[in-house]
Amino acid sequence: MSVLRFLAHRRHTASGTVHTVRTNRPSRRRHRAHRSLTGGLGVALTAVLTLGAATPAAAWTGPAGQRLDIEILSSRPDQVSGGDALVRVTLAGRIDPRAVRISRNGTDVTRAFRVDGRSLRGVVGGLRDGTNLLRASARQARAATLVLRNHPVSGPIFSGPRQYPFLCRTEQNGLGQPLVDNQEGQGMRVLGPDGSVVGWSRDCAAATITDRLYRAADGSFRPMPPDGSRPADLTTTRTLDGRTVDYVVRRERGTINRFVYSIAMLEGNWNRRAVYRFDGGVAIGHDQGRLPGAHLYHEGLSLGYAVLYSTGTRTATHYNLVLGGETALMLKEHFVEEYGVPLYTVGVGGSGGGIQQYIYGQNHGDRVIDAAIPQYSYPDMATQTIHVGDCELLEYYMDVTDAANPKWHDWENRTWLIGMNASATVPNPYRGGAPGSTECVEGWRGLTPLALNPRWFPGDPLWSRMDPPGVERTVQWSHWADLVNVYGTDPAGYARSTWDNVGVQYGLSALASGRITPAEFLDLNARVGSWKPASEMVQEGCPYTPEACADPAQFDPWSSRNMRLSPDGGRTPAPRTTGDRAAIRAAYSSGVVFTGDIDIPIVDWRHYLEEQLDMHDVHQSFASRQRMREHDGHAGNQVIWFTDARPAEVFDQTPEALAVIDEWMANIRAHPWRGVAGNRPALAVDRCFTTTGTEIARGEHVWDGILDNRPDGPCTRLFPLYGTSRTVAGGPIEGGVYACDRQPVRVAIARGLYGSWRPTDADRRRLEAIFPTGVCDYR
């Protein structure tokens, strides 16, 4: 994929459970930061998931067992936002519902409630920012009280200080210019009809808009005529309960937590279920984001699902999944308050949209989604930086440093070092379209400057509307800085980085298998190098800075100007980079790393795209499964489906996954004591499919041979998996080791770590010079 295609791909590519006062479910094992750094310390968000301990709801028992309980149905009591909350007061004993009185901070709000069986339910508005007190009372029962903490609809709740500068896109999302707030520091200029500046908006709020759309015969969504007539090309749809209805959609749009949201559903035909549509891509924040067509998710809307969407839960807007989780909670809260508690909410979305489902399911239980359909997923993106940060180091070594070695002229051999797939036939745009490429090039090239270099700003003309002029040049444009509230800052004022390659023996399995020689192994590890710290990075060359392309000497797709390389051709080994230990610990304590602590139904589905060198490498589904197994010994709530895409993506298995999830959730409602795994329907099993969606095989053993030592199962045989540079170096498939424990070189030699190679004393001394603190011990 060209750098322009890469950047375009990165930018564009409600629960049925009652929420009483509780804290998040504790992990059943400590989060592993790496083999000797575990759990514990958080730099900036030590309690990101439990900030503001909730006050228990009072449940007083009076005469004859008469009791009142207060519950919040829309959020945790300490995480209320927007000034209102859906509240339920439950009655026990012989209390007359008409005799109950409910107050908010001393003001009677009983009229907001309606009787619902043996309870009263209503939306309590008028909550002030900060602490609020709800009180329910009735004769012959002691009053019940509940303390709430309300937060502004613009946030934050627990994500930490808001990011500035922040680019408003309300106009691009059909909401008009942002509302003037004239906060200190100005922001985006708001213009009057004559083009003059009438004020500034820092937080990009906009008025809420509701409109009506219809699905036309050509598959597009169009505005319904304002005169109430029915368009000639209006289509119909068959809902989940089998009714055929006009395909008319009611859509609500506005801003929550500074991002633009959408709630859409069939007009008058909601099936009481919800889809939270997550989206992927890679971006570095400071942007409100765009609503793509995915917010009108046809596969869900057509069946009667309500569809929730936010630009803040689109990783093409930002990759701060603490902020994303907060945004998802706030949107879900608003939905429940406006439309009621759904039977369940299922997440749907690919790539970064799949990652969010794993992360939010882990961090927030069922408060965002009750079930998940992650597509083309990874366990998380934070730990992808571990091996993706190796890509350009290794490609530069093969392209430039060791360019005379004929082994690297055969592109398929590059898998020996990068672990990912490589092809002798896929065209390479960085070679003038000549055949020969790798997943590092086709899938991941461009990630280094986008995610690691604080000085590379890709640019956007809309920044010209921001005050003060040039404010975007004050931003550190890197993944680490986007999550500075998580990682913290170093003494130089830059966001701390987790990236580490100390002790990593690149190409180790290639050496052990005889594909590279001991001399090649030593040269590779002496010269491969590492990345400069953020404070030393410089602006990118061509093609990432287009104006640099006028000078052929500026061609640098590897970002080599920001590498730490050997100063003398390898005689002095190139330095390695030590990841910041505080940042590593914070990644785990904040929840941006998936550790496997998730207990909702999951259908993990993807097309098999390895032959296309697509970045969504298929072993990632099993990396998630392995983390789940390491967490609690099993992954009975996750099933993995592959659909063949050779030669092209033809069939979408998502509608079938939605049907399986619906049956799975019905089973859980009917038999909650069986748990998630115990309620799996017949089709909620591991499966693989042909390009036309026809099942090839199903069952417990179809993926044998991947996470065990059994003979390969039928799906394993048909869909080969590849690895990463770190699995080549001896690391585990789950891929969550930021920094390895190390062993002395002499111990590694004694263990036979190098296969048939028996290093001489001179070889040992050379290894010790390359790895002065030892080599990785992944045991």
Side-chain angles (χ1 to χ4, degrees):
M1 164 183 311
S2 71
V3 65
L4 297 180
R5 284 176 57 209
F6 173 92
L7 296 174
H9 174 72
R10 297 305 185 273
R11 297 195 184 97
H12 307 294
T13 49
S15 169
T17 300
V18 171
H19 298 301
T20 57
V21 181
R22 65 173 185 174
T23 58
N24 286 280
R25 175 163 48 97
S27 175
R28 291 182 289 277
R29 70 171 173 82
R30 299 183 70 192
H31 295 325
R32 182 185 60 209
H34 61 88
R35 292 298 188 261
S36 62
L37 293 176
T38 57
L41 178 66
V43 171
L45 293 175
T46 56
V48 66
L49 303 180
T50 55
L51 183 65
T55 303
W60 299 104
T61 301
Q66 297 186 161
R67 189 177 73 246
L68 295 171
D69 290 299
I70 304 179
E71 300 170 310
I72 305 300
L73 303 182
S74 50
S75 70
R76 266 177 37 174
D78 62 319
Q79 294 180 358
V80 175
S81 66
D84 51 12
L86 180 60
V87 178
R88 180 169 66 187
V89 177
T90 305
L91 317 178
R94 301 175 63 183
I95 299 174
D96 183 351
R98 295 170 298 180
V100 176
R101 293 292 176 266
I102 304 164
S103 65
R104 175 209 65 228
N105 300 324
T107 300
D108 191 288
V109 293
T110 308
R111 294 183 65 180
F113 288 77
R114 60 177 175 80
V115 177
D116 182 16
R118 293 299 298 162
S119 67
L120 294 94
R121 181 181 301 207
V123 175
V124 175
L127 299 171
R128 61 197 177 207
D129 288 350
T131 301
N132 295 263
L133 180 67
L134 293 183
R135 184 176 187 273
S137 61
R139 287 183 300 173
Q140 296 185 320
R142 287 188 65 181
T145 60
L146 177 63
V147 175
L148 305 182
R149 185 166 183 82
N150 178 61
H151 306 264
V153 72
S154 60
I157 296 177
F158 54 72
S159 63
R162 286 178 287 195
Q163 193 177 61
Y164 293 107
F166 191 71
L167 190 65
C168 302
R169 295 191 185 274
T170 54
E171 291 175 276
Q172 293 177 310
N173 289 306
L175 299 178
Q177 290 195 81
L179 301 178
V180 172
D181 54 38
N182 285 339
Q183 297 182 56
E184 183 182 354
Q186 300 182 332
M188 173 165 276
R189 295 191 291 274
V190 181
L191 307 179
D194 61 354
S196 63
V197 178
V198 298
W200 291 266
S201 181
R202 260 193 118 201
D203 284 337
C204 306
T208 301
I209 294 176
T210 300
D211 59 0
R212 299 169 70 236
L213 308 168
Y214 74 95
R215 176 91 167 179
D218 64 0
S220 65
F221 285 96
R222 300 177 181 176
M224 282 291 286
D227 61 6
S229 61
R230 314 299 274 185
D233 60 347
L234 170 65
T235 60
T236 60
T237 185
R238 188 174 178 83
T239 62
L240 194 65
D241 60 5
R243 293 180 299 113
T244 299
V245 301
D246 285 346
Y247 203 151
V248 179
V249 174
R250 180 191 184 277
R251 178 177 62 171
E252 173 192 331
R253 286 172 295 160
T255 56
I256 290 176
N257 211 19
R258 302 201 300 172
F259 297 104
V260 176
Y261 76 88
S262 166
I263 297 172
M265 64 181 71
L266 287 178
E267 188 174 64
N269 289 287
W270 180 31
N271 67 18
R272 308 302 302 178
R273 298 158 176 84
V275 167
Y276 199 122
R277 183 68 164 85
F278 299 96
D279 248 349
V282 177
I284 310 300
H286 292 275
D287 196 313
Q288 191 172 34
R290 302 171 178 87
L291 274 179
H295 81 280
L296 295 170
Y297 180 55
H298 166 67
E299 287 76 5
L301 287 173
S302 62
L303 294 171
Y305 288 84
V307 176
L308 286 67
Y309 193 98
S310 171
T311 61
T313 51
R314 185 185 188 208
T315 55
T317 302
H318 66 86
Y319 238 111
N320 183 341
L321 299 194
V322 176
L323 176 62
E326 177 182 76
T327 303
L329 287 167
M330 294 174 73
L331 176 53
K332 179 69 175 295
E333 174 194 9
H334 172 68
F335 175 81
V336 170
E337 290 163 357
E338 291 293 318
Y339 303 98
V341 179
L343 289 174
Y344 65 82
T345 302
V346 56
V348 176
S351 190
I355 287 172
Q356 290 180 81
Q357 294 173 66
Y358 277 113
I359 292 293
Y360 304 155
Q362 167 185 270
N363 293 351
H364 307 297
D366 56 10
R367 293 192 298 126
V368 175
I369 54 175
D370 304 280
I373 305 176
Q375 306 156 327
Y376 315 104
S377 67
Y378 310 85
D380 56 61
M381 185 51 69
T383 55
Q384 300 309 302
T385 62
I386 296 169
H387 62 268
V388 172
D390 295 337
C391 267
E392 297 300 0
L393 297 174
L394 293 167
E395 293 288 350
Y396 183 79
Y397 177 82
M398 292 182 282
D399 282 342
V400 180
T401 306
D402 198 34
N405 190 335
K407 288 182 177 178
W408 313 132
H409 302 169
D410 182 340
W411 281 79
E412 293 184 0
N413 291 349
R414 296 190 177 211
T415 296
W416 299 348
L417 303 188
I418 66 172
M420 304 172 185
N421 197 14
S423 168
T425 59
V426 171
N428 188 326
Y430 302 93
R431 304 178 63 239
S437 191
T438 70
E439 187 189 317
C440 275
V441 174
E442 179 71 12
W444 294 99
R445 178 150 284 174
L447 189 74
T448 297
L450 185 67
L452 306 185
N453 188 351
R455 288 183 170 79
W456 185 59
F457 171 59
D460 188 305
L462 198 57
W463 281 99
S464 64
R465 285 267 302 274
M466 299 292 287
D467 273 338
V471 68
E472 68 275 11
R473 298 296 174 183
T474 67
V475 172
Q476 294 181 28
W477 294 99
S478 71
H479 164 75
W480 321 112
D482 193 21
L483 276 75
V484 69
N485 290 347
V486 171
Y487 297 128
T489 55
D490 64 19
Y494 288 84
R496 300 179 186 271
S497 167
T498 64
W499 197 79
D500 186 296
N501 71 340
V502 175
V504 176
Q505 299 190 89
Y506 293 108
L508 179 62
S509 65
L511 167 70
S513 63
R515 291 186 172 97
I516 62 174
T517 67
E520 290 169 332
F521 173 75
L522 291 170
D523 183 73
L524 165 66
N525 282 284
R527 302 172 72 186
V528 67
S530 61
W531 295 107
K532 293 178 180 178
S535 60
E536 297 177 16
M537 283 194 167
V538 298
Q539 184 57 271
E540 297 292 326
C542 179
Y544 309 114
T545 303
E547 53 268 29
C549 294
D551 178 3
Q554 294 295 311
F555 181 70
D556 185 15
W558 314 274
S559 300
S560 63
R561 64 195 62 207
N562 287 311
M563 293 177 183
R564 305 169 74 198
L565 301 171
S566 171
D568 51 18
R571 289 188 298 276
T572 302
R576 299 295 182 95
T577 293
T578 300
D580 189 288
R581 275 16 185 193
I584 291 173
R585 293 185 176 104
Y588 279 84
S589 65
S590 69
V592 300
V593 173
F594 179 66
T595 62
D597 185 8
I598 190 169
D599 192 28
I600 61 175
I602 301 170
V603 178
D604 186 305
W605 173 73
R606 66 178 70 237
H607 283 112
Y608 183 79
L609 302 173
E610 294 298 302
E611 293 187 1
Q612 300 178 30
L613 307 182
D614 188 90
M615 66 188 300
H616 303 100
D617 35 71
V618 299
H619 87 272
Q620 300 289 351
S621 294
F622 299 95
S624 297
R625 174 167 290 183
Q626 183 60 25
R627 294 189 193 189
M628 293 165 70
R629 286 181 172 181
E630 290 185 3
H631 179 266
D632 58 15
H634 69 86
N637 57 313
Q638 182 215 43
V639 300
I640 295 174
W641 295 1
F642 282 10
T643 299
D644 207 347
R646 293 168 288 188
E649 302 163 45
V650 175
F651 194 85
D652 183 1
Q653 225 77 42
T654 310
E656 183 174 1
L658 279 170
V660 169
I661 288 292
D662 190 59
E663 185 178 359
W664 202 340
M665 294 305 299
N667 290 349
I668 291 172
R669 290 194 302 275
H671 311 289
W673 60 89
R674 294 179 182 171
V676 175
N679 276 297
R680 296 199 320 190
L683 294 181
V685 292
D686 289 343
R687 304 166 74 190
C688 58
F689 306 86
T690 68
T691 54
T692 60
T694 301
E695 184 179 272
I696 298 169
R698 74 167 79 163
E700 182 181 354
H701 297 292
V702 298
W703 297 117
D704 280 1
I706 296 175
L707 299 179
D708 54 46
N709 295 318
R710 299 189 185 101
D712 287 352
C715 295
T716 306
R717 291 193 296 271
L718 289 170
F719 299 99
L721 270 62
Y722 293 83
T724 70
S725 55
R726 298 298 172 106
T727 62
V728 170
I733 189 173
E734 53 95 352
V737 182
Y738 276 109
C740 61
D741 271 351
R742 294 188 290 276
Q743 58 192 319
V745 167
R746 57 178 174 75
V747 173
I749 294 172
R751 286 180 52 209
L753 205 62
Y754 302 102
S756 61
W757 180 40
R758 299 295 182 265
T760 65
D761 287 344
D763 294 331
R764 177 181 55 77
R765 288 193 294 272
R766 182 59 171 160
L767 281 168
E768 289 172 342
I770 297 169
F771 301 105
T773 60
V775 298
C776 284
D777 181 355
Y778 289 107
R779 292 176 297 174

